[in-house]
Amino acid sequence: MKRVALSRLSDDEIVGRFIDYSIEQEDMILEGRIGKVNRLYDRIEKLIEELRSREGDHRHALLPLLKHANPQVRLKAAWATLSLAPDDALAALKELADAQLYIQALDAGMTLINLERGIFVPK
């Protein structure tokens, strides 16, 4: 498969990859394949950076994912949009933390704690 520069992809194509990578990352976490989890983390971050770098910050394309059926997609979308739409992103994190959905609840809860303590500052 030929690699395509992210800058050549539409917002919708980036969102599609974001969803795919997030779901695959959840699967790899459950399988304990940490190397693959980390590579997917990097890929997701590059997608977010590409959207952020577009004129006017196109991360708003990720906002509908705060309601996605997959909890890992919601978690990653919340992290990506915290500075853009803090109320919506925080609500998604709180919902995930309260749902006690294993991995996502822990990550969401720790994110909320780190935000409260000023350890994590979204960009």
Side-chain angles (χ1 to χ4, degrees), residues 14-71:
I14 289 177
V15 169
R17 286 186 182 195
F18 184 95
I19 292 168
D20 292 344
Y21 293 164
S22 297
I23 292 170
E24 186 178 357
Q25 187 181 49
E26 179 182 40
D27 293 341
M28 295 301 102
I29 291 168
L30 294 172
E31 291 179 20
R33 297 177 59 190
I34 303 307
K36 183 72 173 173
V37 170
N38 292 337
R39 285 189 293 280
L40 288 162
Y41 175 87
D42 292 340
R43 288 180 183 172
I44 292 167
E45 285 300 307
K46 287 177 183 171
L47 296 173
I48 295 166
E49 283 304 315
E50 176 59 32
L51 289 172
R52 182 184 291 128
S53 73
R54 293 181 179 189
E55 188 173 339
D57 192 341
H58 287 214
R59 287 178 295 161
H60 65 272
L62 300 173
L63 290 172
L65 301 184
L66 295 174
K67 299 292 185 188
H68 194 275
N70 181 279

Side-chain angles (χ1 to χ4, degrees), residues 85-101:
D87 292 340
D88 293 333
L90 285 170
L93 288 170
K94 288 175 185 170
E95 182 180 301
L96 286 165
D98 291 345
Q100 299 180 2
L101 296 168

